[in-house]
Amino acid sequence: MFQRFRRNRLNSHLRALVREYHVRADDFIYPLFVRSGEGIKTEVASMPGVFQMSIDEAIRECDTLKALGIYSIILFGIPDVKDSVGSDALDENGIIATAVKAIKRAHPEMFVVTDLCFCEYTDHGHCGIIDHVHETVDNDATLAISGQQAIIHAQAGADMIAPSGMMDGIIETLRTALDGNGFENLPVMSYSTKFASGYYGPFRDVAESTPSFGDRATYQMDPANRREAIAESIADEMQGADILMVKPALAYLDIIRDIREATSLPLAVYNVSGEYAMLKHAGAAGLIDYERVMMETMLGFKRAGADIIISYHAKEVAGLL
């Protein structure tokens, strides 16, 4: 006798009872892009619904997020001045430090994650100090200033730090710096498996971080490499990461599952700008049922093994939930 799987599908309440995975508002971290000034809320053409905001507008945005049940944000800074070493990122009065202090004053219950990198702050758009001989980022010189950046974020009141530059040894470096300065309880969410992806294009519009030469293939991962992807995340776990991450998400569901099966640490995925833009523009063109495809995509991330989803869709998903 064959099994009738449809018995559990014929009633909507029974379908809900046997549903294996669920998407919740508190699965999400919402990205915010902050810059100096007041009353600034500038929409990015390539990412409808995503804005560069002054800090006062970001504070107001947190009211909207809380009303939707979203209490976690990740901050990206857009400085007024960029230079070869990303000095604004090393300034206790720089845009990120200032934004963290202001948001935590206004919304102490918000969980504020800071992206730790240099690509938004350098005039060359790369993720650290340049090795001009090899035309790539100098790994160890960048580690030295990354520790300084972490302390600035921690002193400003960040609740978690998320290093995104894909420097070898970054987690050990940050953990040593944080622990040595009394921040041993501050968690680190590693961008542990981050690919050199074509899906990042719209992000570089909003963050103003397009490289002025070359690309990031010398330090971000080759999209073709599966075993290396697992090894990258496990290495960060061994160095003391508290949460691992796969970025991008949609084209790397197999990697999410591989890493989920290789570690017991919480696993985040970054639903990146290109993934967001594709759904937004396809929905606007009437090519897809936007809300249905959006929710199906989020469920796919959870089913693949994600505990946390960083997504520009977060407000819309929470509204539907």
Side-chain angles (χ1 to χ4, degrees), residues 44-64:
V44 180
S46 58
M47 297 179 69
V50 175
F51 300 83
Q52 292 181 348
M53 299 180 185
S54 52
I55 294 172
D56 57 319
E57 291 291 339
I59 289 170
R60 278 191 278 275
E61 185 73 359
C62 288
D63 286 319
T64 301

Side-chain angles (χ1 to χ4, degrees), residues 3 50-51 53 115 144 158 168 176 218 254 274 281 293 309 313 319:
Q3 186 168 354
V50 175
F51 300 83
M53 299 180 185
D115 177 80
D168 292 331
T176 299
T218 58
D254 60 323
H281 291 292
V293 173
I309 302 171
H313 293 291

Side-chain angles (χ1 to χ4, degrees), residues 30-34 41-53 61 76 78 202-207 270-274 276-277 280 290 311-316:
Y30 187 66
L32 289 178
F33 298 87
V34 292
K41 189 174 183 181
T42 307
E43 189 171 23
V44 180
S46 58
M47 297 179 69
V50 175
F51 300 83
Q52 292 181 348
M53 299 180 185
E61 185 73 359
F76 298 87
I78 305 163
F203 173 91
R204 293 170 185 173
D205 294 338
V206 64
Y270 201 133
N271 176 212
V272 299
S273 60
Y276 173 84
K280 273 290 184 184
Y290 171 75
S311 179
Y312 308 99
H313 293 291
K315 290 195 297 182
E316 296 170 295

Side-chain angles (χ1 to χ4, degrees), residues 150-193:
I151 298 306
I152 288 170
H153 290 195
Q155 290 173 339
D159 296 299
M160 183 160 69
I161 291 174
S164 61
M166 286 297 286
M167 297 298 110
D168 292 331
I170 185 66
I171 301 303
E172 182 176 347
T173 295
L174 299 189
R175 196 71 270 160
T176 299
L178 292 168
D179 293 358
N181 285 272
F183 296 105
E184 60 275 1
N185 291 321
L186 188 66
V188 174
M189 176 172 65
S190 171
Y191 284 67
S192 53
T193 296

Side-chain angles (χ1 to χ4, degrees), residues 218-249:
T218 58
Y219 45 101
Q220 294 177 355
M221 275 204 56
D222 186 336
N225 291 1
R226 183 178 186 178
R227 295 189 301 272
E228 185 185 11
I230 302 169
E232 284 270 15
S233 278
I234 297 306
D236 281 7
E237 177 177 8
M238 293 176 66
Q239 290 177 38
D242 299 285
I243 299 172
L244 304 177
M245 187 197 300
V246 177
K247 179 183 180 181

Side-chain angles (χ1 to χ4, degrees), residues 43-214:
E43 189 171 23
V44 180
S46 58
M47 297 179 69
V50 175
F51 300 83
Q52 292 181 348
M53 299 180 185
S54 52
I55 294 172
D56 57 319
E57 291 291 339
I59 289 170
R60 278 191 278 275
E61 185 73 359
C62 288
D63 286 319
T64 301
L65 292 169
K66 290 193 299 185
L68 291 167
I70 299 171
Y71 282 81
S72 299
I73 58 174
I74 182 166
L75 291 180
F76 298 87
I78 305 163
D80 291 331
V81 178
K82 303 187 180 197
D83 60 25
S84 62
V85 297
S87 297
D88 189 272
L90 303 174
D91 185 348
E92 63 183 12
N93 296 310
I95 184 61
I96 281 293
T98 302
V100 172
K101 293 171 188 174
I103 291 171
K104 291 299 289 186
R105 279 196 303 268
H107 299 283
E109 69 278 23
M110 290 298 288
F111 187 78
V112 178
V113 185
T114 53
D115 177 80
L116 188 151
C117 194
F118 290 94
C119 60
E120 298 112 287
Y121 307 95
T122 55
D123 52 14
H124 48 72
H126 280 282
C127 297
I129 294 175
I130 296 298
D131 172 355
H132 291 285
V133 174
H134 300 98
E135 291 194 339
T136 185
V137 172
D138 185 320
N139 191 92
D140 293 359
T142 301
L143 290 182
I145 58 174
S146 295
Q148 297 174 41
Q149 190 181 165
I151 298 306
I152 288 170
H153 290 195
Q155 290 173 339
D159 296 299
M160 183 160 69
I161 291 174
S164 61
M166 286 297 286
M167 297 298 110
D168 292 331
I170 185 66
I171 301 303
E172 182 176 347
T173 295
L174 299 189
R175 196 71 270 160
T176 299
L178 292 168
D179 293 358
N181 285 272
F183 296 105
E184 60 275 1
N185 291 321
L186 188 66
V188 174
M189 176 172 65
S190 171
Y191 284 67
S192 53
T193 296
K194 180 180 178 181
F195 292 91
S197 171
Y199 282 94
Y200 302 147
F203 173 91
R204 293 170 185 173
D205 294 338
V206 64
E208 300 179 4
S209 62
T210 302
S212 61
F213 67 91

Side-chain angles (χ1 to χ4, degrees), residues 249-250 253 269 271 275 297-306 309:
L250 191 58
L253 296 175
V269 298
N271 176 212
E275 299 166 6
T297 301
M298 300 303 124
L299 190 59
F301 299 150
K302 293 296 295 289
R303 194 180 62 248
I309 302 171

